[in-house]
Every structure is written in structure tokens, then in C-alpha cells.
């Protein structure tokens, strides 16, 4: 029985090919994917949730689809997560098993296996994915993403981008976040288009892949335009899509100059999936993320007289809450039921949206990854030599923001502290630079004053 969420996988009329899906060089047809996922589903059926070691491999796609077939919520684990982050995610989610292609997995996943599995009846309210995402303080929270939100979000994007089975989607993004996993894998499986995952999102790999639809975070696009020969190879594509952080206007213009086409920018969050996007048949302007997707409503709550304010959203793509954190869930909604994004935005008279910043400086976006300052500060404080720590995002040409830590510490090197965080959390959460101080600036109450930190 086809799974409605993945309607193109085995439904009547689904067109198959040997390389329907290629991840880091390994290809599978849809039938092979369904068979291998069936073998996973039969092993995990009945589990409350399962974790998947989400490296960029075909095994990860098989494991995630296996979870969807079995109706078991999937918790993607960043493959480079250090012990602190991994243990937190496993304990907090209660995942009973870890699936993966490697030997350390409880349930080994082999894309060559085949088994029939009768998919569970589809209920749009049940959780498809539990995605761990950082807040300003503390450890990451598990956002519960229902099947219906994934389906609605992908259908909204398919309509806005004229995304069909005729497309070949190319990207090389990580498979543990909304961008790479929900859009970049489940989007291909729902629309029925061919998927080429390049392993890493390098300009050369994008140039060689010959796709019609390309996804990237701004750091990927700024690296592409720095390789003009690679960029020109994308001229024949139908749509170049940027998201997960603001696309700098110079990168937008360089992409247009080198490829002859304007990129499509879209906006979203783990908790809301993608809510706003430029359209394939609409205007594409630097700094604009376009219009709400079908069924999504947006509003900007501004102080009187101001044009910009916090963006709030509602609609069918929203999460159902943070796992085990009813207070945090309640705090993320207004009294009248709108989700507070924490992003500062403006809506122009023609309805197009501009994202102009974030309400809190303690949520950092580096290379498109969302990193909470508090989580990195806590990791630094776990080092025996560190007495105080304050973490900020500093503007950075390649990464958008780079993670910078100010620490008060005795006898420890910058490199040792960077490696310590890279080893405890995920590698991308490591500070890129450390500045040693005698003391952190504090107010009369003893609270650190990040605004008073010295320039780098
Ligand atoms: C470096 N490395 C280290 C290290 N320093 N390893 C251990 N210890 C250290 N101290 C290794 C890394 O493991 C990696 O290895 C290599 O060095 C390069 O790492 P890096 O320098 O951190 O990578 P970088 O080039 O900075 O990555 C750029 C990037 C990446 C763009 C490829 O940031 C990226 O993939 N971003 C995508 C984030 C994303 O998908 N966000 C979506 C969130 S969803 P190796 O072996 O791996 O090369 C969302 C919703 C929405 O936002 O709207 O989409
Ligand atoms: P995450 O939860 O990792 O998906 O990160 C969500 C955040 O990414 C949003 O709250 C925004 O701050 C940011 N973001 C995503 N897309 C865009 C975009 N196109 N422009 C600016 N910021 C974006």
C-alpha cells in the first residue's frame, strides 16, 4: 500500500528508474528503496521512536522511509554529534533504537535488503520526525513534526516552484535538518522527482550533477559564485533555491550574472517548515523571501508606527510542540494561536516578505546551522580550565555569522577549547575564534553584558 506522505514511492503511475535516488554515489530505484525500507520497518514496528545516525548516505534515506512506513517517529542524529549532544538527544527523545549503516547501530540498515511491509494507516496528526533544534539557552529541544505538516509544506512548495516528477533535484545538505531531509529527501519522494545528493555541497559537485532544481544555504551559493566556471554550469537549471539564512544581495546578483537567472529565496524554521517563498512564476528580488505558501498566514507585530516587527505565522505546516516541554511550547505561541518565529520582518504592500534580523542575538546562524549561544557556553564551561564564557555570532562573509567565544580561563589554548566543543557537541557548533578576557563585562545584578564585550 502506498504511503500517502510519500505518494510517489509506490503509488499507481509512479515512474521508476534505476537511479531514482543517488546519495553520495549510491543509486537506488524507488522499488529498491521501498523494499529496503520495508526490511527496516518490519524490524522497528511498534517502537515508540527510533534514532537514525543521519550521515549523507542511501542508508539514512532507507532508515527514514522505514520509520515512515512503520509509523514510528524518526529522530535524526547528527553523525558528528559528540557524546554530550548524542546522549542528550537519545535520552530526551526516548528513542529505543539507533538505526544506521555503520557497525555501531542497534539496527543495521542495508540498502540492498528487500522485504514487503504493509504500511500503517496514515494519520496526518502522528509524528513523522522529531527534529532537535537549539534555543537561546540550554540543550536543544525536540520539535515534533506531524506527517500532515510535512505533506502540506511540500505540496505548498511544489505549487510555488512548479516542482514535478520531471525535475532532478540536486543538493549536498546534511540529512538531519528541515532543509536537507524534509525538502531535500522527502520533497523528492513526494513529488516523484529524481534526487542527486552530492555528499558535500561543493561548487564542483553541483556543477557536475546536471540537475534542474538546486538547493543550497547562502554559504553554498557564495562558494558557488566564487567559482565562476562551476557557477556557469548551472545556467541550464530551472530553479536555484536559497534558504536557511539570509542570502546576501551581492551573492544574489553574482548568481544572476553568472547563471542568467535570479535565485528563488524561501524562509522557514524547524518548527514551522517552510512558510514563505518566492514563486517560480513570480518576482525574485534580493532581500525578499516572497509570499506565504498555500494555507499559511503571516502577520508582523510591530510597535505602533513601526513597519518592522516580529513575524508570526499560522497554518498547516506547523509543528505540534516541543517534546516533553509544554511550557516552552506554550511560550512559542501567542494567546490567539500564532507561532512566534523570533524573526524580525517587514511585509511590503505587495505582500512580499523581507526578513531583517532576529529578536534575540543568542540564536546564531552559521553556515545555515542554528546554534544557541547558551549551549556553546555550557559546553565551554564543562572544560575544567574555563571559569566564564560568553558566546556571540559575529558577521562573517562566508558563514553569515561565525561563532565567537569570549572566555575567562586559566592555561588553555584557543585550539584546545575549539576542539573540546567540536568533540562534545556537533563539529559545526564549535567556536571559530576564542578571545581570552580577564573578566566578562557584567551589570550591577552580575548578568553578563554581551553588548559591552570588546571588539575582536
Ligand atoms: C573542522 N573539522 C573538525 C574541526 N574543525 N573536526 C573536528 N574538530 C575540529 N575542531 C572538520 C569537519 O568535521 C569537516 O569534516 C570539515 O572539517 C569542514 O568542516 P567545517 O569547516 O565546519 O565546514 P564548513 O566548510 O564550514 O561547512 C559549510 C557548509 C555547512 C555550508 C558545508 O555549514 C553546511 O552543510 N551547512 C548546512 C546547514 C543546514 O543544512 N541548515 C539547515 C537548517 S534547516 P568533513 O569530513 O565533514 O569535511 C533550516 C530551515 C530552513 O534552517 O529554512 O531551511
Ligand atoms: P532552523 O530552525 O535551523 O530551521 O532555523 C530557522 C531560522 O533560519 C529562522 O528563524 C530564520 O532566522 C532563519 N532563516 C531561514 N530561512 C531564511 C531566509 N531565507 N532569510 C533569512 N533567515 C532565514
Amino acid at each position: 500500500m502506498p504511503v500517502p506522505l510519500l505518494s510517489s514511492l509506490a503509488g499507481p503511475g509512479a515512474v521508476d528508474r534505476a537511479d531514482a535516488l543517488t546519495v553520495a554515489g549510491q543509486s537506488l530505484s524507488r522499488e529498491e528503496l521501498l523494499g529496503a525500507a520495508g526490511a527496516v520497518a518490519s524490524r522497528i514496528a511498534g517502537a515508540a521512536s527510533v534514532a537514525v545516525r543521519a550521515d549523507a548516505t542511501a542508508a539514512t534515506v532507507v532508515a527514514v522511509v522505514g520509520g515512515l512506513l512503520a509509523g514510528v517517529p524518526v529522530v535524526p542524529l547528527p553523525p558528528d554529534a559528540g557524546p554530550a549532544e548524542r546522549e542528550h538527544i537519545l535520552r530526551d527523545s526516548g528513542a529505543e533504537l539507533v538505526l544506521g549503516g555503520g557497525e555501531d547501530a542497534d539496527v543495521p540498515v542495508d540498502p540492498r535488503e528487500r522485504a514487503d511491509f504493509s504500511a500503517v494507516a496514515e494519520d496526518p496528526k502522528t509524528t513523522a520526525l522529531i527534529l532537535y533544534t537549539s534555543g537561546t539557552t540550554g540543550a536543544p529541544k525536540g520539535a515534533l513534526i506531524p506527517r500532515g505538516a510535512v505533506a502540506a509544506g511540500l505540496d505548498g512548495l511544489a505549487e510555488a516552484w512548479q516542482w514535478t516528477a520531471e525535475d532532478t533535484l540536486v543538493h549536498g545538505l546534511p540529512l538531519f535538518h528541515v532543509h536537507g531531509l524534509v525538502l531535500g529527501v522527502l520533497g523528492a519522494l513526494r513529488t516523484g522527482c529524481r534526487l542527486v545528493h552530492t555528499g558535500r555541497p561543493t561548487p564542483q559537485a553541483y556543477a557536475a550533477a546536471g540537475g534542474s532544481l538546486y538547493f543550497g544555504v547562502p554559504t553554498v551559493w557564495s562558494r558557488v559564485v566564487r567559482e565562476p566556471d562551476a557557477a556557469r554550469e548551472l545556467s541550464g537549471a530551472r530553479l536555484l533555491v536559497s534558504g536557511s539564512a539570509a542570502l546576501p544581495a551581492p551573492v544574489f546578483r553574482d548568481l544572476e550574472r553568472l547563471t542568467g537567472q535570479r535565485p528563488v529565496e524561501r524562509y522557514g524554521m524547524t518548527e514551522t517548515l517552510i512558510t514563505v517563498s518566492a514563486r517560480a512564476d513570480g518576482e525574485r528580488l534580493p532581500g525578499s523571501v516572497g509570499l506565504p505558501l498555500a494555507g499559511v498566514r503571516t502577520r508582523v507585530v510591530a510597535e505602533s508606527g513601526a513597519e518592522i516587527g516580529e513575524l508570526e505565522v499560522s497554518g498547516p505546516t506547523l509543528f505540534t510542540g516541543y517534546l516533553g516541554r509544554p511550557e516552552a511550547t506554550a511560550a512559542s505561541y501567542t494567546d490567539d494561536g500564532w507561532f512566534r518565529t523570533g524573526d524580525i520582518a517587514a511585509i511590503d504592500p505587495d505582500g512580499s516578505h523581507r526578513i531583517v534580523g532576529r529578536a534575540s542575538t543568542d540564536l546564531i546562524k552559521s553556515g545555515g546551522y542554528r546554534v544557541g549561544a547558551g549551549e556553546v557556553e555550557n559546553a565551554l564551561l564543562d572544560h575544567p580550565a574555563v571559569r566564564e564564557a560568553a558566546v556571540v555570532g559575529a558577521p562573517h562573509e562566508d558563514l553569515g555569522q561565525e561563532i565567537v567565544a569570549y572566555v575567562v580561563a586559566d592555561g588553555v589554548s584557543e585550539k584546545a577549547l575549539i576542539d573540546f566543543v567540536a568533540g562534545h557537541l556537533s563539529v559545526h557548533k564549535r567556536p571559530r575564534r576564542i578571545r581570552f578576557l580577564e573578566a566578562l563585562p557584567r551589570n550591577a545584578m552580575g548578568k553578563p553584558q554581551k553588548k559591552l564585550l570588546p571588539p575582536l
Side-chain angles (χ1 to χ4, degrees), residues 133 177-178 242-247 265-271 289 341 343 355 358 365 368-370:
T133 191
H177 283 310
V178 163
S242 180
S244 303
L247 184 68
E265 202 175 348
R266 92 298 177 289
Y267 159 85
M269 287 185 82
T270 304
E271 291 88 336
V289 294
T341 65
D343 289 305
I355 309 296
R358 273 207 72 84
K365 266 273 160 159
Y369 284 115
R370 169 170 155 185

Side-chain angles (χ1 to χ4, degrees), residues 4-318:
L5 175 53
L6 305 175
S7 44
S8 80
L9 252 190
V15 180
D16 207 359
R17 49 187 290 168
D19 60 353
L21 172 100
T22 302
V23 186
Q26 185 173 11
S27 293
L28 293 177
S29 68
R30 286 171 197 282
E31 193 185 345
E32 288 168 335
L33 170 61
L34 195 60
V40 170
S42 58
R43 290 197 193 107
I44 63 170
S49 64
V50 293
V52 171
R53 188 182 183 282
D55 46 12
T57 59
T60 295
V61 177
V62 167
V64 171
V65 174
L68 293 173
L69 286 179
V72 175
V74 170
V75 185
L77 275 179
D80 65 347
E85 187 166 337
R86 184 185 154 93
E87 276 159 31
H88 165 71
I89 294 175
L90 291 177
R91 192 173 353 98
D92 190 78
S93 67
E96 292 177 25
L97 302 163
V98 179
L99 277 55
E103 282 171 6
D104 55 348
D106 302 321
V107 178
V109 175
D110 183 351
R112 291 165 306 183
E113 266 192 288
R114 305 285 172 260
D116 280 334
F117 184 86
S118 292
V120 294
E122 180 91 1
D123 176 354
K125 289 195 205 63
T126 58
T127 300
L129 299 166
I130 305 175
L131 299 179
Y132 274 80
T133 191
S134 299
T136 52
T137 56
K141 299 188 283 285
L144 300 165
I145 314 292
R147 300 170 80 101
V150 175
L154 293 174
D155 291 350
L157 288 175
E159 191 267 329
W161 297 344
Q162 300 173 1
W163 182 4
T164 69
E166 302 295 309
D167 278 304
T168 293
L169 170 63
V170 176
H171 73 94
L173 296 167
L175 299 185
F176 45 91
H177 283 310
V178 163
H179 200 161
L181 182 62
V182 177
L183 275 59
V185 172
L186 303 184
L189 299 179
R190 187 162 175 85
T191 58
C193 83
R194 216 180 125 226
L195 169 65
V196 178
H197 188 287
T198 58
R200 299 276 300 174
T202 62
Q204 291 72 20
Y206 276 34
S212 64
L213 181 60
Y214 283 80
F215 292 169
V217 296
T219 301
V220 169
W221 294 121
S222 79
R223 292 178 185 186
V224 164
V225 297
R226 270 186 265 131
E227 306 272 349
D229 288 343
R232 284 190 203 98
E233 291 294 321
L234 306 183
S235 306
R238 191 176 68 75
L239 222 54
L240 310 179
V241 185
S242 180
S244 303
L247 184 68
V251 179
F252 182 105
R253 293 197 195 95
D254 285 345
L255 269 175
E256 182 177 15
R257 182 173 53 77
L258 290 164
T259 68
Q261 58 173 298
R262 295 177 162 222
V264 160
E265 202 175 348
R266 92 298 177 289
Y267 159 85
M269 287 185 82
T270 304
E271 291 88 336
T272 64
L273 306 183
I274 308 307
T275 47
V276 181
S277 180
R279 297 178 58 89
D281 59 2
E283 200 166 30
R284 306 172 200 170
L285 295 172
S288 169
V289 294
L291 304 168
L293 297 184
V296 173
R297 292 194 302 151
T298 61
R299 69 184 187 191
V300 161
V301 181
E303 309 230 322
S304 71
E307 281 177 10
I308 63 167
E310 184 172 358
L311 181 67
E312 296 177 352
V313 300
S314 73
T317 66
L318 264 57

